[in-house]
């Protein structure tokens, strides 16, 4: 049994201008001890996928409108909010993109890490304190003892982000979702943190979903990669095979954008054209206006996900039997 399974998840948000549907049938599985990278341009639905798994959509005027999410065999969509609350921060933990959503401005940061630790472990206050300071040091936080006693507003953005990562790692979850956790940090610190994620997954046998813009992080850290575009998961597979033989034209374009030298977070912008807005998704394949290989079929009919290698799936007409007939 997989740790986490998403089957054909669709999401709706109510907005002042009507309903938007940022996820259009997302499916994947994650095993314990596995790291899945989730990549795609801004607005493709990565954070919404995380929010769906974490049960946070109701707080955002959203909902999963169809599909299934199961976690350790439990049907997550039938949980009540109190039941979900029991899982959040405990069995499932989110390291959010914006550190201030996870930090409480009125408490010292050390207190917040220790609170979390004591909630989920049998550690004494002193042991929890020690573990927190250790995790902080291994995240490259200088003067951990001093930072431990500071308030969030006294810390730089980069330090705040590392405190949030420490909280996520200390919660000892079965499933951890990290939403662009290292984007605000410099390259050396990033490398340290990536290493700590790897060790934590190995030691605790947890499942990790790493949402990132950084294909270098995907290559170094992840076992499998899922590529999202405009609310669809367009390709999923083993990192090695996907990087060596990308199937989807969008994945190919992403990989072509890796700059040779130092990469910046928004290097993905280099693909010609823009991500369509959630209100104006094109008919047919959502990628067709930007796709160099698009044919008549792509402009009319949305593709279906097709298994290519044993472990790989691609959402592209080029892999379907109809494709050859239209050439
Ligand atoms: N609370 C919300 N209400 C309405 N639309 C939203 C909300 N959150 C996200 N969206 C829309 O859903 C789409 C996917 O967003 P998101 O998952 O945040 O993208 P990203 O891949 O950059 O994380 C975007 O078009 C975004 O505008
Ligand atoms: Mg996001």
């Amino acid at each position: 049994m997989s740790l986490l399974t998403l089957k054909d998840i669709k999401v709706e948000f109510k907005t002042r201008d009507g309903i938007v549907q940022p996820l259009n049938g997302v499916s994947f599985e994650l095993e314990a001890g596995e790291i899945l990278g989730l990549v795609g341009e801004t607005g493709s639905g990565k954070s919404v996928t995380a929010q769906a798994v974490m049960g946070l959509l109701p707080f955002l005027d959203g909902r999963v409108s169809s599909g299934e999410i199961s976690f350790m065999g439990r049907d997550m969509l039938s949980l009540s909010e109190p039941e979900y609350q029991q899982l959040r921060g405990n069995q499932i933990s989110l390291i959010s993109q914006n550190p201030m959503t996870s930090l409480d401005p009125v408490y010292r940061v050390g207190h917040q890490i220790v609170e979390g630790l004591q909630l989920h472990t049998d550690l004494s206050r002193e042991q929890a304190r020690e573990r927190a300071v250790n995790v902080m040091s291994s995240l490259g936080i200088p003067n951990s003892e001093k930072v431990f006693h500071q308030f969030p507003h006294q810390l730089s953005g980069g330090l705040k982000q590392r405190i949030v990562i420490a909280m996520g790692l200390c919660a000892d979850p079965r499933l951890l979702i990290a939403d662009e956790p290292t984007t605000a940090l410099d390259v050396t610190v990033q490398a340290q943190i990536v290493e700590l994620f790897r060790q934590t997954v190995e030691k605790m046998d947890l499942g990790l979903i790493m949402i990132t813009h950084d294909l270098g992080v995907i290559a170094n850290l992840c076992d499998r990669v899922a590529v999202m575009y405009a609310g669809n998961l367009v390709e999923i597979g083993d990192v090695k095979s996907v990087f060596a033989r990308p199937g989807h034209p969008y994945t190919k374009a992403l990989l072509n954008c890796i700059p040779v030298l130092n990469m910046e977070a928004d290097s993905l912008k280099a693909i010609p054209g823009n991500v369509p807005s959630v209100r104006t998704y094109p008919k047919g394949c959502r990628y067709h206006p930007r796709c160099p290989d698009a044919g008549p079929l792509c402009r009319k009919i949305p593709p279906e996900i097709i298994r290519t290698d044993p472990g790989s799936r691609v959402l592209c007409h080029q892999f379907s039997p109809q494709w050859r007939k239209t050439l």
Side-chain angles (χ1 to χ4, degrees), residues 145-201:
E145 290 279 351
K146 179 175 159 223
V147 173
F148 189 90
H149 295 289
Q150 289 182 309
F151 290 97
H153 74 263
Q154 296 175 292
L155 306 177
S156 69
L159 274 180
K160 279 198 282 256
Q161 185 58 359
R162 277 181 270 176
I163 297 298
V164 172
I165 295 172
M167 285 166 68
L169 295 175
C170 282
D172 197 15
R174 301 283 82 230
L175 168 67
L176 180 61
I177 305 180
D179 194 350
E180 308 203 14
T182 60
T183 303
L185 305 171
D186 74 56
V187 180
T188 334
V189 173
Q190 272 191 29
Q192 247 168 323
I193 291 177
V194 164
E195 187 48 39
L196 192 65
F197 272 113
R198 192 208 316 277
Q199 286 169 11
T200 308
V201 169

Side-chain angles (χ1 to χ4, degrees), residues 13-15 20-23 40-49 51 60-62 97 179-180 211 213 228 231 276-279 281:
F13 285 113
K14 262 193 217 137
T15 74
V20 296
Q21 298 179 301
L23 291 193
E41 283 158 298
T42 302
S44 53
K46 305 182 298 296
S47 295
V48 171
T49 304
Q51 289 155 359
L60 302 161
D61 263 340
Q97 218 166 344
D179 194 350
E180 308 203 14
I211 300 177
H213 269 109
M228 291 194 67
S277 126
V278 70
R279 293 178 197 285
Y281 285 142

Side-chain angles (χ1 to χ4, degrees), residues 104-268:
D104 192 328
V106 304
Y107 292 107
R108 297 177 197 275
V109 297
H111 173 81
Q112 300 189 45
I113 303 176
V114 166
E115 280 274 273
L117 265 174
Q118 286 202 296
L119 206 59
H120 309 301
T121 64
D122 300 326
L123 298 181
S124 69
R125 190 136 197 100
E126 195 39 48
Q127 289 169 322
R129 216 190 78 87
E130 219 168 276
R131 168 120 168 245
V133 173
N134 279 341
V135 171
M136 286 165 69
S137 310
S138 50
L139 286 166
I141 296 176
N143 305 322
S144 298
E145 290 279 351
K146 179 175 159 223
V147 173
F148 189 90
H149 295 289
Q150 289 182 309
F151 290 97
H153 74 263
Q154 296 175 292
L155 306 177
S156 69
L159 274 180
K160 279 198 282 256
Q161 185 58 359
R162 277 181 270 176
I163 297 298
V164 172
I165 295 172
M167 285 166 68
L169 295 175
C170 282
D172 197 15
R174 301 283 82 230
L175 168 67
L176 180 61
I177 305 180
D179 194 350
E180 308 203 14
T182 60
T183 303
L185 305 171
D186 74 56
V187 180
T188 334
V189 173
Q190 272 191 29
Q192 247 168 323
I193 291 177
V194 164
E195 187 48 39
L196 192 65
F197 272 113
R198 192 208 316 277
Q199 286 169 11
T200 308
V201 169
E202 226 163 76
K203 226 187 299 166
M204 316 301 249
D205 198 36
L206 52 89
L208 170 64
I209 299 177
M210 174 59 81
I211 300 177
T212 176
H213 269 109
D214 190 334
L215 291 163
V217 170
I218 303 266
N220 288 330
L221 178 68
C222 300
D223 304 302
R224 284 192 307 144
V225 59
V227 182
M228 291 194 67
Y229 185 80
N232 287 321
L233 201 155
V234 297
E235 178 155 11
I236 184 166
D238 213 67
V239 168
K240 285 207 181 82
S241 350
V242 170
F243 275 53
R245 291 183 308 280
H248 198 282
Y250 179 63
T251 314
K252 288 181 194 160
L254 275 185
L255 290 170
N256 277 336
C257 288
I258 301 183
V260 184
L261 287 171
N262 204 357
M263 21 183 133
E264 290 295 321
D266 39 356
S267 58
L268 300 189

Side-chain angles (χ1 to χ4, degrees), residues 3 6 13 19 31 68 89 92 102 132 144 169 195 217 253 324:
L3 181 69
L6 270 69
F13 285 113
I19 287 182
E31 310 292 333
E68 291 167 34
I92 56 176
S102 320
S144 298
L169 295 175
E195 187 48 39
V217 170
R324 258 169 250 123

